[in-house]
Amino acid sequence: MKNVLWCLMFATQISCGHKAEIKEKYCGVEMSGFEVLDYKKMGDDGYDYTEDDKLLLSELKTGINNLFDNKEAIEVYFAMKDKGRIALYIVAPDDKAMVEKISCYVLASGFKNLPPSRNLLFYTNEHNSLVAAVKTKPVNT
């Protein structure tokens, strides 16, 4: 038991102070597992849309579906939103090219009412499995 505690303490000391590597992906960076869990929890609690939120959501859905000439079944939902950040659930086919196209559209777009910090959780239509989790790049990268 003592050895296990020593190993845990040693591992903690090694990992402390080291910044997690930022992996660029789909016009943003990958979210950490903890971020995914936090936003998933917020989304599971439900989101109460304001009238402005409903308009923004409609604009997002229209823009995303227009990327694919309205030929794909893509759904978008807010997991959370405040002045500085938003988390979106995007339900779409498990297709890397589609994920990249949607991510680049949302992360690099100039939606005036979309907060600057954007977090996207992609799920599949069929299995409700997480496909990708990306967010806007930090300002200093």
Side-chain angles (χ1 to χ4, degrees):
M1 185 66 169
K2 219 177 196 183
N3 289 339
V4 172
L5 290 174
W6 279 109
C7 287
L8 284 173
M9 284 178 32
F10 182 71
T12 302
Q13 288 175 347
I14 290 174
S15 64
C16 288
H18 291 283
K19 222 176 176 185
E21 182 181 332
I22 296 175
K23 294 182 183 176
E24 290 194 23
K25 193 169 195 175
Y26 305 131
C27 297
V29 294
E30 287 185 338
M31 292 172 60
S32 73
F34 292 115
E35 289 172 311
V36 171
L37 291 174
D38 286 345
Y39 288 124
K40 181 161 179 16
K41 169 76 172 96
M42 289 179 207
D44 289 346
D45 292 342
Y47 183 82
D48 292 324
Y49 293 89
T50 65
E51 289 304 313
D52 288 340
D53 291 339
K54 290 176 185 176
L55 290 171
L56 179 59
L57 182 62
S58 176
E59 183 182 345
L60 278 167
K61 285 181 177 183
T62 300
I64 289 169
N65 283 298
N66 284 343
L67 293 173
F68 305 99
D69 298 322
N70 294 308
K71 293 179 182 173
E72 298 292 340
I74 301 168
E75 288 296 321
V76 182
Y77 307 96
F78 289 8
M80 64 78 58
K81 179 180 172 271
D82 60 28
K83 274 192 163 185
R85 64 188 173 139
I86 189 168
L88 300 173
Y89 280 131
I90 300 172
V91 181
D94 185 0
D95 180 306
K96 289 181 182 182
M98 285 183 73
V99 170
E100 182 169 17
K101 196 169 191 176
I102 294 168
S103 293
C104 291
Y105 176 74
V106 175
L107 297 178
S109 71
F111 289 108
K112 66 178 182 178
N113 294 326
L114 204 57
S117 177
R118 302 165 188 183
N119 304 275
L120 311 178
L121 302 169
F122 285 87
Y123 286 89
T124 62
N125 297 19
E126 299 84 15
H127 305 292
N128 204 25
S129 300
L130 184 66
V131 173
V134 294
K135 62 183 181 178
T136 49
K137 294 178 184 178
V139 176
N140 58 356
T141 59

